[in-house]
Amino acid sequence: MDSKKREIPVTASNLNPIPLQNEVLILGGGVAGCAAAIALARKGRSVTLIEREPTPRHKVCGEFLSGEALEDLNALGIDPASLGAVPIDRVRLAAAKRAAEAPLPFSAASLTRKALDTALIADAISAGVRVERGRSVQALDSTTRNVWQATLDDGTTREAPTVFLATGKHDVRGHARPEDPQRWVAFKMYFRLTHAQAGELAHASELMLYPGGYGGIQPVEGGIANFCWVVQQRYLARVGYRWENLLAKMQQDCPHLAMRLAGAEQLLAKPIAITHIPYGYIRRATENGLYCIGDQAAVIPSFTGDGISIALHTARCAVAAYLAAEPAPVFQAKLGSALQAQMRLAVIAADGLNNSLARAVLPFCLRVWPGVMRITARLTRVAQQGVVAEHAVAT
Ligand SMILES: Cc1cc2nc3c(=O)[nH]c(=O)nc-3n(C[C@H](O)[C@H](O)[C@H](O)COP(=O)(O)OP(=O)(O)OC[C@H]3O[C@@H](n4cnc5c(N)ncnc54)[C@H](O)[C@@H]3O)c2cc1C
């Protein structure tokens, strides 16, 4: 019976029409939530955004801004360069004792999430969005009156016919994404590298491979470097679940990382960490009036895809769909199909990085044929044209 249900194609005609009322509730004030809020407020909609943190703080993220992300941020009126973003023009891959370098085929930059999120929230407020900070959404339910009701941690509720779900890596009760079978754990630490190592890193984003995961190091504003890494839980178990042991083991397995971090000053007391990262997930179904964006729409593997760009892109597409009165389930299904090809490539690339044979031969191959790195970098970016074009017609 279930499989029969799934065969029914989602079209605008077999769904109840949604009332295009002005009120929109946005849950989550990160990249996707703020981008959607700013765009909707500029179109005259009445927008309330709920963000659980009282002020932006460090998030687990490599903080790499791809060309597409920079374009989308500029379109929102945010200029990462004026916030201190560091231009990134090359990528290096290091595994075992080898490293290879290639120029990036697009302009890129790096900026701390704290700086980016601060600018996004400020822009949302000046666009007229009602921002409620320090309030966490505990549950989201549809009512019999065709409106969505969000229950906050203080027991109060907020209602609107349309909700944009943008809580990123955190699920809201009743709208959870699937389990992460590989049980990834992600960490981020800021370092002040020695003068010599900072000079060597310069304008590069470096990808380090080691058994059980991979990580990226790159400069961010303020003369410091972000090292962000992922590891499967079973590898973390082997080092007694201690991040210091893990960092030591990674440096043992990847001497290039050891070289970068030699003599570096650790700038946070301990790394910030998250678990439950369902890489490869694409949400294809939703309910009327509920547009899922950012990591709530798709989770592209870190370092082989650019989640910030997807967050901005999905926000833009969802706003266009909403303004064109496209029902959320139709939008979500279309978005899911449009993201599929790049997601598949990014997953394959991530699996490759996590493979012991690839770790052994990849840097050597890339030295011989560095063009492959440029091609991979381009292919694993989400091609925005398809989805945007569809919605551009509708707006
Ligand atoms: C290890 C790692 C490295 C990465 N590196 C990069 C990179 O270098 N470049 C890149 O482009 N992408 C990277 N990404 C992906 C990127 O971080 C995400 O895809 C992006 O942040 C998604 O944006 P979002 O708006 O969906 O979520 P977020 O930016 O995380 O925003 C979600 C917001 O919702 C709020 N929130 C959560 N729950 C609630 C609640 N219950 N109530 C109210 N508010 C809530 C949070 O506080 C947060 O502010 C990386 C991801 C990981 C895991």
Side-chain angles (χ1 to χ4, degrees):
M1 216 174 117
D2 264 346
S3 59
K4 251 188 184 174
K5 260 189 192 168
R6 265 184 250 121
E7 280 165 23
I8 299 171
V10 182
T11 63
S13 57
N14 64 9
L15 292 158
N16 297 330
I18 47 159
L20 187 64
Q21 293 169 17
N22 251 0
E23 288 291 324
V24 180
L25 195 53
I26 299 197
L27 311 183
V31 178
C34 284
I38 294 166
L40 287 165
R42 286 183 184 158
K43 287 282 178 186
R45 297 307 188 271
S46 168
V47 186
T48 301
L49 182 149
I50 316 283
E51 165 56 45
R52 70 175 186 176
E53 301 296 344
T55 52
R57 46 178 219 158
H58 293 307
K59 281 181 177 154
V60 177
C61 184
E63 304 180 326
F64 174 84
L65 296 174
S66 66
E68 285 94 345
L70 291 174
E71 270 173 38
D72 276 344
L73 288 169
N74 281 320
L76 282 175
I78 290 176
D79 173 21
S82 71
L83 300 172
V86 178
I88 300 289
D89 59 16
R90 61 200 56 238
V91 57
R92 282 188 203 118
L93 182 72
K97 293 192 173 127
R98 296 180 196 278
E101 177 181 297
L104 269 176
F106 44 78
S107 59
S110 58
L111 180 69
T112 58
R113 288 301 304 273
K114 203 170 172 180
L116 179 60
D117 291 5
T118 302
L120 282 163
I121 284 270
D123 248 38
I125 293 170
S126 45
V129 176
R130 270 186 308 279
V131 177
E132 292 192 37
R133 286 195 265 186
R135 290 259 170 274
S136 170
V137 177
Q138 301 292 294
L140 177 67
D141 303 291
S142 59
T143 70
T144 49
R145 291 172 288 114
N146 254 350
V147 293
W148 286 96
Q149 184 177 70
T151 306
L152 309 191
D153 48 0
D154 61 358
T156 60
T157 56
R158 305 288 181 276
E159 290 189 347
T162 306
V163 170
F164 282 58
L165 183 61
T167 51
K169 297 158 188 81
H170 307 276
D171 291 337
V172 168
R173 205 168 68 216
H175 304 275
R177 299 162 304 162
E179 285 295 302
D180 155 24
Q182 307 228 48
R183 301 173 80 83
W184 288 104
V185 185
F187 298 89
K188 178 172 93 175
M189 169 60 84
Y190 290 113
F191 288 98
R192 189 174 304 283
L193 303 185
T194 61
H195 185 69
Q197 289 305 317
E200 288 284 317
L201 183 60
H203 295 286
S205 178
E206 296 188 333
L207 189 59
M208 316 276 182
L209 311 187
Y210 45 82
Y214 46 89
I217 187 164
Q218 58 177 3
V220 287
E221 75 274 16
I224 61 173
N226 166 341
F227 180 47
C228 184
W229 71 97
V230 293
V231 67
Q232 285 170 5
Q233 208 179 77
R234 61 200 168 98
Y235 283 83
L236 192 56
R238 288 182 198 172
V239 291
Y241 291 100
R242 296 191 67 90
W243 68 268
E244 306 94 323
N245 297 351
L246 178 65
L247 199 54
K249 177 83 175 74
M250 290 182 324
Q251 292 182 72
Q252 212 181 324
D253 292 332
C254 183
H256 189 87
L257 177 63
M259 178 181 75
R260 282 287 174 264
L261 297 185
E265 180 192 353
Q266 193 179 294
L267 299 175
L268 306 175
K270 58 180 185 177
I272 45 172
I274 53 160
T275 56
H276 182 52
I277 317 165
Y279 286 140
Y281 167 70
I282 297 181
R283 196 186 293 258
R284 294 171 192 282
T286 184
E287 294 169 62
N288 261 343
L290 181 62
Y291 297 83
C292 301
I293 56 177
D295 278 0
Q296 286 293 316
V299 187
I300 198 139
S302 314
F303 311 115
T304 58
D306 43 353
I308 294 174
S309 165
I310 292 185
L312 292 162
H313 173 67
T314 54
R316 188 152 47 91
C317 293
V319 167
Y322 164 74
L323 293 174
E326 180 168 74
V330 177
F331 155 76
Q332 211 73 52
K334 272 196 202 169
L335 183 75
S337 306
L339 293 175
Q340 195 168 303
Q342 269 74 22
M343 181 67 85
R344 208 172 280 152
L345 268 173
V347 168
I348 292 170
D351 285 351
L353 296 181
N354 209 21
N355 170 293
S356 57
L357 181 66
R359 264 196 313 276
V361 301
L362 212 54
F364 176 72
C365 298
L366 291 174
R367 271 191 183 174
V368 178
W369 186 35
V372 79
M373 210 138 78
R374 284 199 298 276
I375 294 165
T376 313
R378 195 177 278 294
L379 287 177
T380 53
R381 305 296 118 185
V382 167
Q384 305 204 356
Q385 300 314 324
V387 185
V388 175
E390 276 169 43
H391 287 294
V393 175
T395 38

